[in-house]
Amino acid sequence: MPDPDPSTQNFLINARELGVKRGERWIFRHVNLSVGLGQLVFIIGANGAGKSTCVKTMLGLIQATEGEIEKSSTLVVDYVPQRLTISPNLPLSIRRLITLTKRFSKQEIDTALTTVGLDRLGNPPVTTLSGGEFQRLLLARAMLHRPNLLVLDEPAQGIDAAGTDLVHELIDEVRKDLGCGVLLISHDLERAMDMGDNFAVLIPHEYDEAPATAVVN
Amino acid sequence: MLDDFLVRALLAGIGLALVTGPTGCFIVWRRLAYFGETMAHSALLGVALAIIFNLNLVIGIFSVALLVMLAVLYLERRETLPTDTLLGLISHGGLALGLVILSFFPQMRLNLHALLFGDLLAVSRLDLAVIWVGGILALAVLCWIVRSLLAATISSEIAEVAGLRPERARLIFGILLAAVIAGAIKIVGVLLIVALLIIPAATVRRFSPTPEIMAFAAAVLGTIAVAGGLFASATLDTPSGPSIVVVALILFIVTRVGYLKVR
Ligand SMILES: Nc1ncnc2c1ncn2[C@@H]1O[C@H](COP(=O)(O)OP(=O)(O)O)[C@@H](O)[C@H]1O
Ligand SMILES: [Mg+2]
């Protein structure tokens, strides 16, 4: 069980009784979740259960309807969203994409690309990458920023079994390298139980009264 | 020796093309063509406003284009109408309203053609100064927000988590677009400004390895199109806006065919 106490050194982020309502409907509710340094925490749920909305709320991209979010003052987040479509009209090489929000030295970029196994490709346009390669590229981008919390929204979506294993291995490697916390959205309960330090299950529901979230330790 | 008016129009057109090149690239990358169209069509309403309140034309157009942009951003969130329907409604509603109001001013009827399609005879020294000063300012602003704007083009969520304030960049870009539209009215006119924004960008896309090179190449190509179009307009006595767009279109087709052949 992660320690939700902000006074401890490992603390990164903690959500208490978090909920988001759209119209008359709660997209998710009663979410209690915390991530500490070095921890791998899963959010599990079916399609439409509210997983993406939940992490966006924790990151402050969406306003919470109820509940509280506490963040460590040292929190440095990097986020890989679920869907990212790059306009084919935008000429962007892979090296350019990963340095879009911040500059890095050539050596740092080389190291990150090598870690995710994209160093042999040269510097092709991002639109030519396969789904798995693109995910690894986004992971390399996130790594470069050396966050202490890495948030990944279904990084294995649309990737074959071997690719999925590779992506998860990489995530674990990055976590050990950086010593950061990882919040990972997935619908793979088995993997979550196998790899995760902790996970939350979001259950879609129609009514206010229904318990939205079960946190399993 | 070139005629004075042609030199003025040419200099103004070049100043304009240097800004429409990079601005047009962002329109192509972010799929804002119809959004730009909507702001441009509302320019006639700005002209009407300028006449009624006795304002400078450019200021009238700029203010109305700004209002339209804010209205679109607001309604996009509030309304359940699909964005293209909403834009079509505002775009054509604005154009129609502008035409109706302008018909109350008989002396404007003569100038309507110029407003819609540009008129190189109409470029004054003041216009020239406004375009160059405004253009340099616009490019400076674009340089300032380019990182956030590019990041927001990839993903506004990544940009926001990285602290790049994509919403602010988007708003500033909207203001910039309103200024470009206002500055362009004499050269290309209301109906064709979006063509000058997107055709050069679309033309150079295939030859550009980076966003910066694409923006620069679009500016160069836009300059060629403007110069060629204005010469054609002066010699063949065609309206300047359509002439510029036709030259841009020819350049697009020629490079496209050339590209396919080389491949
Ligand atoms: N801004 C919104 N307004 C209304 N409904 C939304 C909004 N965002 C998401 N939803 C709905 O909330 C539900 C959960 O979405 P999401 O968080 O993407 O689920 P997941 O990531 O678990 O698949 C979906 O039914 C979706 O349609
Ligand atoms: Mg999702």
Side-chain angles (χ1 to χ4, degrees):
Chain A
M1 181 66 200
D3 196 341
D5 182 358
S7 60
T8 60
Q9 280 205 316
N10 280 346
F11 169 81
L12 286 174
I13 192 166
N14 179 35
R16 203 177 308 129
E17 285 299 297
L18 205 61
V20 167
K21 196 178 181 181
R22 286 279 179 269
E24 286 305 296
R25 179 170 154 243
W26 286 95
I27 292 176
F28 66 90
R29 205 176 181 190
H30 303 307
V31 168
N32 291 284
L33 188 70
S34 105
V35 188
L37 273 178
Q39 285 186 325
L40 175 57
V41 176
F42 279 78
I43 296 183
I44 304 288
N47 273 335
K51 304 180 295 297
S52 298
T53 313
C54 179
V55 292
K56 285 183 201 167
T57 312
M58 286 181 74
L59 293 179
L61 296 170
I62 291 177
Q63 183 87 39
T65 313
E66 64 174 24
E68 274 162 51
I69 303 158
E70 276 172 293
K71 291 176 181 171
S72 153
S73 57
T74 59
L75 188 70
V76 181
V77 184
D78 212 282
Y79 171 53
V80 178
Q82 182 170 12
R83 256 184 308 275
L84 219 168
T85 38
I86 295 196
S87 162
N89 285 320
L90 181 59
L92 214 58
S93 68
I94 65 175
R95 280 166 179 273
R96 186 66 202 275
L97 175 79
I98 59 182
T99 53
L100 208 55
T101 52
K102 206 175 163 194
R103 275 183 229 284
F104 296 95
S105 74
K106 182 174 180 307
Q107 196 179 359
E108 286 172 303
I109 299 169
D110 285 341
T111 312
L113 287 177
T114 309
T115 311
V116 299
L118 292 177
D119 50 322
R120 302 259 170 102
L121 287 180
N123 194 20
V126 279
T127 42
T128 61
L129 295 185
S130 74
E133 287 169 337
F134 190 58
Q135 275 305 335
R136 271 143 58 198
L137 181 67
L138 291 179
L139 203 58
R141 193 201 78 88
M143 268 173 67
L144 264 176
H145 289 73
R146 305 194 75 79
N148 55 19
L149 176 63
L150 188 56
V151 180
L152 306 160
D153 194 343
E154 301 206 33
Q157 198 184 38
I159 299 175
D160 62 21
T164 305
D165 286 342
L166 183 60
V167 165
H168 282 95
E169 273 164 34
L170 275 172
I171 291 168
D172 216 37
E173 219 169 284
V174 170
R175 170 172 67 134
K176 283 175 188 141
D177 272 6
L178 300 180
C180 63
V182 177
L183 182 59
L184 186 60
I185 296 184
S186 166
H187 44 235
D188 187 347
L189 183 60
E190 215 169 299
R191 198 181 292 271
M193 294 174 78
D194 189 35
M195 280 177 77
D197 294 308
N198 188 19
F199 58 93
V201 181
L202 291 192
I203 302 160
H205 65 118
E206 301 298 327
Y207 311 103
D208 271 12
E209 312 84 57
T213 316
V215 178
V216 187
N217 301 309
Chain B
M1 189 58 210
L2 292 170
D3 294 317
D4 245 11
F5 72 88
L6 189 56
V7 172
R8 273 204 303 275
L10 210 56
L11 287 177
I14 290 168
L16 182 68
L18 293 181
V19 182
T20 52
T23 311
C25 287
F26 274 103
I27 296 203
V28 168
W29 295 333
R30 310 197 57 155
R31 297 171 194 272
L32 293 175
Y34 208 15
F35 179 68
E37 198 79 70
T38 303
M39 286 168 74
H41 282 182
S42 72
L44 275 191
L45 207 55
V47 173
L49 192 85
I51 292 171
I52 293 169
F53 294 102
N54 203 13
L55 292 170
N56 178 291
L57 215 58
V58 171
I59 291 175
I61 296 170
F62 177 65
S63 329
V64 172
L66 262 190
L67 282 180
V68 164
M69 175 198 64
L70 293 175
V72 169
L73 291 184
Y74 175 74
L75 290 174
E76 239 177 1
R77 290 190 192 173
R78 291 282 321 251
E79 284 290 324
T80 48
L81 282 177
T83 301
D84 62 335
T85 308
L86 182 70
L87 288 178
L89 196 146
I90 298 177
S91 164
H92 299 292
L95 187 61
L97 193 61
L99 287 169
V100 166
I101 296 178
L102 282 178
S103 71
F104 289 114
F105 299 89
Q107 77 279 13
M108 283 310 291
R109 252 179 240 182
L110 297 172
N111 290 338
L112 198 55
H113 194 264
L115 292 172
L116 291 174
F117 300 115
D119 178 8
L120 79 174
L121 290 172
V123 180
S124 66
R125 274 173 208 285
L126 178 67
D127 293 329
L128 188 57
V130 166
I131 284 177
W132 273 90
V133 172
I136 288 167
L137 253 154
L139 286 178
V141 168
L142 204 56
C143 285
W144 172 47
I145 60 167
V146 70
R147 183 171 280 256
S148 325
L149 206 53
L150 259 183
T153 304
I154 303 295
S155 156
S156 63
E157 285 151 353
I158 287 184
E160 190 160 339
V161 170
L164 289 173
R165 304 173 73 176
E167 280 303 321
R168 190 184 67 163
R170 192 167 304 155
L171 192 68
I172 294 173
F173 183 72
I175 297 171
L176 198 77
L177 193 54
V180 170
I181 287 167
I185 186 157
K186 293 225 170 131
I187 314 281
V188 277
V190 168
L191 286 184
L192 292 171
I193 169 62
V194 173
L196 182 60
L197 285 163
I198 63 176
I199 296 176
T203 307
V204 299
R205 160 63 186 101
R206 273 166 208 284
F207 314 100
S208 311
T210 72
E212 287 77 10
I213 292 178
M214 180 165 161
F216 179 76
V220 171
L221 215 80
T223 305
I224 296 172
V226 165
L230 287 176
F231 271 116
S233 170
T235 43
L236 307 173
D237 197 24
T238 50
S240 60
S243 312
I244 290 170
V245 173
V246 166
V247 172
L249 195 63
I250 290 171
L251 288 171
F252 175 81
I253 292 169
V254 167
T255 53
R256 193 82 188 97
V257 171
Y259 180 77
L260 290 178
K261 278 228 175 98
V262 169
R263 277 182 74 189

